[in-house]
């Protein structure tokens, strides 16, 4: 079992920045690929970014490419999502997730095994 706790969400103006953190406890953090997803009201949860267990590979949704950066610190059991140039359409609850399959970086929610409770990000125009 892995327990995930997100933090760092909040209210920010368009063009601003936020840094989300996801702290993991339980089994060895470095055994998992990690992902960030988001869900806006009335919409399905969607992929945002993912990072391999070592941090050597990353993958982004086209909508955030060039604005968001995913990273991880295995010594601190934490994954981060740096969000710059935020837009109102980035408003959503952001979730981190852990995937035991480290061979492939998945972008679909069904492939992830553990989820955090989410943190709200609101971008005002």
């Amino acid at each position: 079992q892995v327990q995930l706790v997100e933090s760092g969400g909040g209210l920010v103006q368009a063009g601003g920045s936020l840094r989300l953190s996801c702290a993991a406890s339980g089994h060895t953090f470095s055994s998992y690929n990690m992902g960030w997803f988001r869900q806006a009201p009335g919409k399905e949860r969607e992929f945002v970014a993912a990072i391999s267990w070592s941090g050597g590979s990353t993958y982004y949704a086209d909508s955030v490419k060039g604005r968001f950066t995913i990273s991880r610190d295995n010594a601190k059991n934490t994954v981060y999502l740096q969000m710059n140039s935020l837009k109102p359409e980035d408003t959503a609850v952001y979730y981190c997730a852990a995937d035991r399959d480290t061979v492939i970086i998945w972008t679909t929610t069904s492939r992830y095994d553990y989820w955090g409770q989410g943190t709200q990000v609101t971008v005002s125009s």
Side-chain angles (χ1 to χ4, degrees):
Q1 286 280 356
V2 174
Q3 292 78 44
L4 304 172
V5 179
E6 301 96 335
S7 61
L11 174 64
V12 64
Q13 288 188 332
S17 298
L18 282 175
R19 188 195 196 201
L20 305 184
S21 299
C22 173
S25 61
H27 279 265
T28 306
F29 177 69
S30 59
S31 298
Y32 296 86
N33 287 352
M34 298 297 295
W36 285 97
F37 293 77
R38 66 187 182 187
Q39 188 167 18
K43 294 187 176 182
E44 293 189 353
R45 195 170 297 188
E46 65 175 4
F47 171 77
V48 175
I51 188 167
S52 63
W53 64 273
S54 66
S57 298
T58 57
Y59 192 75
Y60 297 92
D62 288 342
S63 59
V64 306
K65 202 172 295 183
R67 300 188 297 122
F68 291 10
T69 302
I70 188 172
S71 61
R72 66 189 297 162
D73 185 339
N74 286 344
K76 295 183 178 180
N77 288 357
T78 303
V79 62
Y80 306 97
L81 186 68
Q82 177 67 44
M83 305 186 295
N84 299 329
S85 303
L86 282 161
K87 305 175 181 179
E89 51 263 44
D90 294 319
T91 295
V93 177
Y94 283 71
Y95 299 88
C96 72
D99 179 14
R100 290 174 293 186
D101 180 359
T102 59
V103 175
I104 298 174
I105 298 179
W106 295 100
T107 63
T108 52
T109 58
S110 61
R111 298 297 305 191
Y112 284 76
D113 303 293
Y114 305 102
W115 292 84
Q117 83 290 346
T119 185
Q120 176 71 47
V121 172
T122 303
V123 184
S124 62
S125 57

